[in-house]
Amino acid sequence: MTWELFVFLFLAASALISAFFVVDSKEIVHSVIALATCFISIACMFVMLSAEFVAIVQILVYVGAVVVVILFGIMLTKREIMESGKR
Amino acid sequence: MNLFEFSYGIIHWLVDLVNNLWYWLGDVLPWVFGDFFDAVGDFAASHGHIAVMAMLVEALIIIIIGLVNVLNFIWIDRKFMIITPAKVDRMGFLLAPVIFVGSSIAAMCTIPMGFEFYVGTNDTPYSSYPLPGGPEYPGVPASALVAFALFAIAPFAILTAGWSSNNKYTLIGGLRSAAQMMSYEIPMLLCVASVVLLAGSFSFFGIVEAQHDIWFAIPLFLGFIVFLTCLVAEVEIQPFDLPEAEAELVEGWTTEYGGARFGLFMMTGYLRGYIGGALAVAMFLGGWHGPAIIPDPIWFLIKAYIVFVVIEWMRWSVPRVRVDQILNIGWKRLLPLAMLNLLIAAILRTLEVF
């Protein structure tokens, strides 16, 4: 098992698991954090494919846009965390 | 007497002590190995052996002093300082400092301080974008873009921290920070675009090399001023420190943090100030170029610290702007000026001045 295969498997698992959490988590901001993890894993995969420029643009555009997604998530959803005593 | 001599003395004393017993054993048991005892004893008493052992002891003493301090701080921190409020969102609350510190330190690593002083994974030079087949530079590929990409992750961490702290002041601070950073990033990246246009390279090495004759701060003076203003807004220093305005929001988006986590935020704030200085130096102030009396990395650090001091100087002499003014300044003043600067850079490039 070469180290490239090992790193690829790690990144693939990270991307898939975080993509699952995007769909699965109840809290919308948790989804967005998982989405950012997914994007960063994919950017690392682009680096492994020696496409560094695509990786940089992936981080610059997508991870930057995640902030806007959080803003919309906060703006358009009901905020129950403030009131609920469970957490 | 320094630490090395001290440990040398201790080792020498110990070796003498053990060697007495050792040679006595060699006298008592001569039939076992013959000259073995003498050889080992002479080696142990030799200067080289004692010096190496003394160095090890010196390192051990230093490490132990450091570790005892660290243990002390960890103990104090866990005993008194680390407070995770009961109703915070734990995932975001614990993850935000990690993202903030990690992205900022990664951004710092991409900035080289000289041709022999950079962080790189291997010795293979990368071609400098956007020109294929152009000159090749070592280190990180397209390092200027990487630095700004990593520098731009910070509002994500700040917004996560502000949201997950479950407090209206932190949420307002986080939202202000997101609005401010995203609107000031556009003129900043336009200034970077003008520099890249003049230098013809996305690598810090190429950009600094292009400033060998004249610093970019002179033809692009307007861009330099716009860049510095945006930098102050990006690192949230005084005229633009709305996200942590003490008089309005309690402590901004760091209100609920305490102990080492707040320390990480504070440290990273100043670290981002230094990164801002380093970016301004590499982009506009000629990087590590200077008279050869002082080596390159020292020149780079001196210039970066001067820019950092200027930024801090602004902090304690300028009052804070209002939240509506900050967006007006960003979108109505700095953005047209940055576009004008890009136009100037394009004209200079077309006239082949550079």
Side-chain angles (χ1 to χ4, degrees):
Chain A
M1 193 190 231
T2 57
W3 68 269
E4 274 127 344
L5 184 61
F6 182 75
V7 173
F8 171 75
L9 287 178
F10 176 76
L11 290 175
S14 150
L16 285 178
I17 291 170
S18 53
F20 176 73
F21 272 113
V22 173
V23 187
D24 188 55
S25 64
K26 296 264 189 294
E27 216 51 85
I28 192 134
V29 175
H30 289 181
S31 299
V32 176
I33 293 172
L35 191 66
T37 317
C38 183
F39 284 148
I40 290 174
S41 314
I42 292 173
C44 295
M45 266 188 213
F46 279 129
V47 172
M48 286 191 64
L49 296 169
S50 62
E52 291 95 0
F53 192 76
V54 186
I56 294 158
V57 172
Q58 171 98 11
I59 291 179
L60 195 62
V61 173
Y62 283 84
V63 182
V66 154
V67 177
V68 183
V69 178
I70 297 187
L71 280 179
F72 278 111
I74 293 171
M75 208 165 67
L76 298 177
T77 55
K78 212 175 157 188
R79 187 103 196 279
E80 288 179 0
I81 180 171
M82 285 270 198
E83 289 88 25
S84 73
K86 282 181 298 186
R87 234 167 277 277
Chain B
M1 185 164 80
N2 59 23
L3 195 54
F4 178 73
E5 287 167 6
F6 173 70
S7 36
Y8 193 95
I10 287 183
I11 293 289
H12 205 275
W13 176 76
L14 264 179
V15 164
D16 280 350
L17 202 67
V18 175
N19 264 359
N20 284 335
L21 185 67
W22 189 254
Y23 287 132
W24 177 77
L25 266 180
D27 288 342
V28 175
L29 311 166
W31 62 87
V32 183
F33 285 118
D35 292 336
F36 173 72
F37 282 97
D38 282 348
V40 170
D42 290 345
F43 170 72
S46 66
H47 171 74
H49 173 255
I50 293 179
V52 168
M53 295 311 280
M55 272 184 235
L56 286 180
V57 167
E58 190 187 1
L60 198 68
I61 290 172
I62 293 171
I63 289 172
I64 284 175
I65 291 172
L67 282 184
V68 166
N69 269 324
V70 167
L71 274 182
N72 185 20
F73 282 127
I74 288 176
W75 180 75
I76 289 175
D77 203 71
R78 295 198 67 86
K79 189 84 178 169
F80 303 111
M81 301 271 190
I82 283 207
I83 300 165
T84 308
K87 291 190 180 178
V88 297
D89 179 65
R90 288 190 72 90
M91 179 184 171
F93 192 80
L94 300 183
L95 211 57
V98 179
I99 301 172
F100 195 56
V101 175
S103 65
S104 300
I105 290 180
M108 188 179 75
C109 290
T110 58
I111 305 171
M113 290 188 193
F115 270 110
E116 284 87 32
F117 210 85
Y118 59 89
V119 176
T121 49
N122 50 17
D123 293 332
T124 321
Y126 293 99
S127 76
S128 79
Y129 304 97
L131 303 171
E136 295 189 333
Y137 299 110
V140 186
S143 48
L145 269 192
V146 177
F148 282 99
L150 293 171
F151 202 61
I153 294 180
F156 173 55
I158 292 174
L159 198 50
T160 310
W163 180 83
S164 58
S165 292
N166 198 7
N167 178 333
K168 59 182 112 170
Y169 299 112
T170 58
L171 183 62
I172 293 171
L175 291 178
R176 280 184 180 183
S177 161
Q180 171 182 325
M181 282 194 173
M182 297 200 65
S183 53
Y184 277 76
E185 204 147 85
I186 298 165
M188 189 162 98
L189 286 179
L190 281 175
C191 294
V192 174
S194 63
V195 167
V196 168
L197 190 64
L198 286 194
S201 167
F202 275 143
S203 175
F204 277 124
F205 291 104
I207 290 171
V208 173
E209 215 172 80
Q211 302 179 60
H212 188 265
D213 298 327
I214 185 169
W215 293 359
F216 283 155
I218 297 164
L220 297 177
F221 184 71
L222 187 64
F224 180 57
I225 298 297
V226 172
F227 184 82
L228 216 56
T229 317
C230 295
L231 211 59
V232 173
E234 284 280 314
V235 301
E236 291 176 357
I237 278 175
Q238 186 62 275
F240 301 106
D241 76 333
L242 281 167
E244 40 180 281
E246 295 92 357
E248 306 162 20
L249 317 170
V250 182
E251 188 52 43
W253 50 278
T254 54
T255 302
E256 298 284 346
Y257 282 90
R261 292 184 200 133
F262 178 74
L264 282 180
F265 277 136
M266 195 74 183
M267 176 206 77
T268 314
Y270 283 99
L271 181 68
R272 286 172 70 80
Y274 162 71
I275 297 170
L279 287 174
V281 166
M283 289 282 163
F284 288 99
L285 293 180
W288 48 83
H289 288 313
I293 313 161
I294 305 176
D296 290 353
I298 309 290
W299 263 121
F300 191 87
L301 283 179
I302 288 173
K303 289 179 186 174
Y305 287 151
I306 287 174
V307 175
F308 182 53
V309 166
V310 168
I311 291 175
E312 288 292 315
W313 182 16
M314 263 187 236
R315 161 177 275 181
W316 54 72
S317 32
V318 184
R320 184 182 300 137
V321 297
R322 267 197 336 258
V323 71
D324 56 329
Q325 290 169 339
I326 205 166
L327 294 179
N328 277 346
I329 293 171
W331 290 101
K332 291 185 186 166
R333 306 285 192 281
L334 291 183
L335 191 57
L337 286 179
M339 295 298 283
L340 187 63
N341 176 54
L342 191 59
L343 186 70
I344 293 172
I347 290 171
L348 287 178
R349 185 73 175 172
T350 318
L351 298 178
E352 293 180 350
V353 180
F354 283 94

